[in-house]
Amino acid sequence: MPSDSDPRTDTTVVAAPAPVTAERVLEATHRLGLRYFVDDEGDVGIPWRCVVVHVIFQDTRAVQLRGTWHRIADTEHLSPLRSLVEEWNATRIGPKAFLTVGDGGIVRLHGEITYPLDAGMTDAQIDDFVFTGCRLIVALVREAEEFFPDPLRGNLEP
């Protein structure tokens, strides 16, 4: 935990964990100098070049950073995308990579990091979680961009 020494009293002041809220996450984005938006449902989004990382609260149990690659694929690309996800999850500790298949055979790549909220977080811990989590999700998407440099589908919108 971060601590500051007060030379007048020679005591150490330790930041105490507090409940994590959307407001505290927004404060972290300000401290980190990140761009962000708040959607219609009140969820925070942090845009990067190829991915938007959303901050999702699972009640009071956990907070997740979840990014979805901007590009989409058809089911004909499912096998190589699955190989990418399996390799990623087998060789890295995070973020968890996974695929979803939607209506019409649209395949999407996601990265997700979850943090339990029972103990709360200090401001420094929230900053680290947001910054490191975003960077890891961006790394996953960059790897996907390297594996699939050309569009997987003619129109990138579903």
Side-chain angles (χ1 to χ4, degrees):
M1 272 186 213
S3 63
D4 297 314
S5 182
D6 185 343
R8 294 172 291 165
T9 60
D10 199 27
T11 61
T12 300
V13 179
V14 177
V20 179
T21 63
E23 293 78 23
R24 290 189 68 208
V25 171
L26 283 174
E27 290 169 5
T29 60
H30 285 288
R31 284 190 298 273
L32 295 167
L34 299 175
R35 293 179 303 132
Y36 72 91
F37 62 89
V38 179
D39 68 16
D40 295 341
E41 297 174 5
D43 293 328
V44 177
I46 305 167
W48 299 84
R49 187 180 68 78
C50 298
V51 63
V52 174
V53 177
H54 292 272
V55 181
I56 301 167
F57 286 88
Q58 304 293 322
D59 301 320
T60 58
R61 297 171 296 143
V63 60
Q64 292 180 327
L65 297 179
R66 186 182 302 156
T68 303
W69 189 22
H70 285 190
R71 293 173 55 194
I72 59 175
D74 296 303
T75 52
E76 69 187 59
H77 295 96
L78 187 58
S79 181
L81 281 166
R82 185 178 294 133
S83 294
L84 169 71
V85 165
E86 289 171 357
E87 172 71 17
W88 181 272
N89 289 334
T91 60
R92 294 173 179 83
I93 59 170
K96 174 180 74 176
F98 63 97
L99 301 171
T100 57
V101 180
D103 295 337
I106 295 173
V107 180
R108 310 260 354 205
L109 171 66
H110 309 272
E112 179 179 275
I113 297 175
T114 303
Y115 189 91
L117 292 177
D118 290 340
M121 288 183 176
T122 64
D123 285 347
Q125 288 171 323
I126 293 174
D127 291 356
D128 288 345
F129 175 69
V130 169
F131 184 74
T132 304
C134 285
R135 294 296 303 237
L136 289 169
I137 291 169
V138 168
L140 167 64
V141 169
R142 284 187 177 153
E143 181 126 343
E145 290 278 319
E146 288 178 20
F147 272 95
F148 301 99
D150 297 320
L152 299 178
R153 186 176 173 128
N155 181 357
L156 298 182
E157 294 300 318

